[in-house]
Amino acid sequence: MLHCRLPVFITVLLLSPELFAQIGLDIITIADNDNGGQTYTLSIQILFLMTAFTLLPAGLLMMTSFTRIIIVLAILRQALGTAQTPNTQVLIGLALFLTFFVMTPVLDQIFDQAVTPYLSEEITAVEALQKASIPLRGFMESQTRENDIDLFIGISGNDRLIDTDIIPFSLLVPAFVTSELKTAFQIGFLIFIPFLIIDLVVASVLMSMGMMMLSPLIISFPFKLMLFVLIDGWALIIGTLAASFYF
């Protein structure tokens, strides 16, 4: 499916003999031994491959919409006061599939512009990586605030980047993550307000009735659930999150 094309594409590039031939590293070296047989030796390329696989999940999560989505869902769970319901595995699964949904236009562009020409042997692996980075860069730049980009440009001390349209990934990725964190907490704050009002109202009523030993959370929890269900909260939250990336 289109949703899985980006990880598959990166895996194909990592395992591509053409790419390693351009770098000058062989996966397996064959040498003749004294007994007339052959010895197969794995090169340092395997170390590079394993290192790339360990960094791949973090890179994909930090350069997509996953950060904003999972933070908003976690704040929503905290605002509802449902402790571990839904549990962390459910939230992560929901965030992943929603991330695939949001990133589908970007993945389609990567597949059409980079994967298909590369598999057709029309471009090299290096050119395919360069073409694949263009849609991903466009997505991150559209979601990143200019002041966050200026912040990391100032920290790097490279003032020449201010006058260029191409920002290196070493600056764009942290600026994108910082901007996503800020946006996620802003959305989470707006989500938290209605539930906080319910908690305050319930606490005030209990205080006026002299029931100070009764926890307000026990009384407010059903009202918060009822409010969330009546407004179709999950559809509203998920729809708003998905729309926030393109509108």
Side-chain angles (χ1 to χ4, degrees):
M1 295 178 64
L2 294 177
H3 298 158
C4 302
R5 287 173 174 173
L6 181 57
V8 171
F9 173 53
I10 297 177
T11 303
V12 169
L13 291 181
L14 289 174
L15 299 177
S16 172
E18 296 181 6
L19 178 59
F20 292 131
Q22 294 175 10
I23 299 176
L25 295 173
D26 297 326
I27 297 179
I28 299 177
T29 302
I30 303 175
D32 297 329
N33 53 31
D34 297 335
N35 299 327
Q38 292 180 332
T39 302
Y40 299 88
T41 304
L42 296 178
S43 69
I44 197 174
Q45 174 188 323
I46 298 300
L47 177 61
F48 293 155
L49 183 62
M50 294 299 101
T51 303
F53 277 135
T54 58
L55 297 177
L56 181 60
L60 291 178
L61 296 182
M62 291 296 100
M63 293 187 290
T64 62
S65 59
F66 180 82
T67 302
R68 182 190 305 184
I69 295 172
I70 191 62
I71 291 177
V72 171
L73 293 179
I75 293 176
L76 172 63
R77 183 176 65 179
Q78 183 70 24
L80 284 171
T82 55
Q84 295 299 317
T85 304
N87 57 29
T88 303
Q89 290 81 1
V90 173
L91 289 186
I92 292 177
L94 177 60
L96 282 174
F97 280 101
L98 190 55
T99 298
F100 289 142
F101 172 78
V102 171
M103 298 298 296
T104 294
V106 179
L107 298 180
D108 289 341
Q109 293 180 30
I110 292 175
F111 189 83
D112 295 335
Q113 299 176 12
V115 179
T116 301
Y118 174 73
L119 295 179
S120 302
E121 298 182 355
E122 299 176 1
I123 58 177
T124 62
V126 176
E127 293 174 342
L129 286 175
Q130 293 175 349
K131 290 181 177 294
S133 66
I134 295 176
L136 190 60
R137 178 190 296 276
F139 171 79
M140 289 193 292
E141 289 180 350
S142 65
Q143 303 298 325
T144 306
R145 295 176 174 84
E146 293 184 2
N147 57 347
D148 292 326
I149 296 177
D150 295 338
L151 170 65
F152 284 94
I153 291 177
I155 294 175
S156 65
N158 192 350
D159 296 334
R160 292 176 298 178
L161 295 175
I162 299 177
D163 300 329
T164 182
D165 294 334
I166 301 178
I167 302 172
F169 272 95
S170 59
L171 296 180
L172 181 59
V173 173
F176 170 73
V177 174
T178 303
S179 184
E180 286 293 282
L181 290 174
K182 186 183 300 182
T183 303
F185 277 97
Q186 289 176 347
I187 297 175
F189 172 75
L190 296 176
I191 293 174
F192 218 106
I193 290 178
F195 302 107
L196 180 60
I197 293 175
I198 294 177
D199 288 333
L200 292 176
V201 171
V202 171
S204 299
V205 172
L206 292 178
M207 287 289 292
S208 63
M209 297 175 62
M211 304 174 65
M212 293 176 292
M213 300 301 295
L214 181 61
S215 174
L217 296 178
I218 299 177
I219 307 300
S220 64
F221 178 66
F223 290 99
K224 290 190 289 187
L225 281 183
M226 182 179 65
L227 173 65
F228 193 70
V229 171
L230 289 177
I231 65 174
D232 197 8
W234 284 113
L236 185 61
I237 295 297
I238 293 175
T240 302
L241 273 175
S244 67
F245 289 96
Y246 293 102
F247 297 97

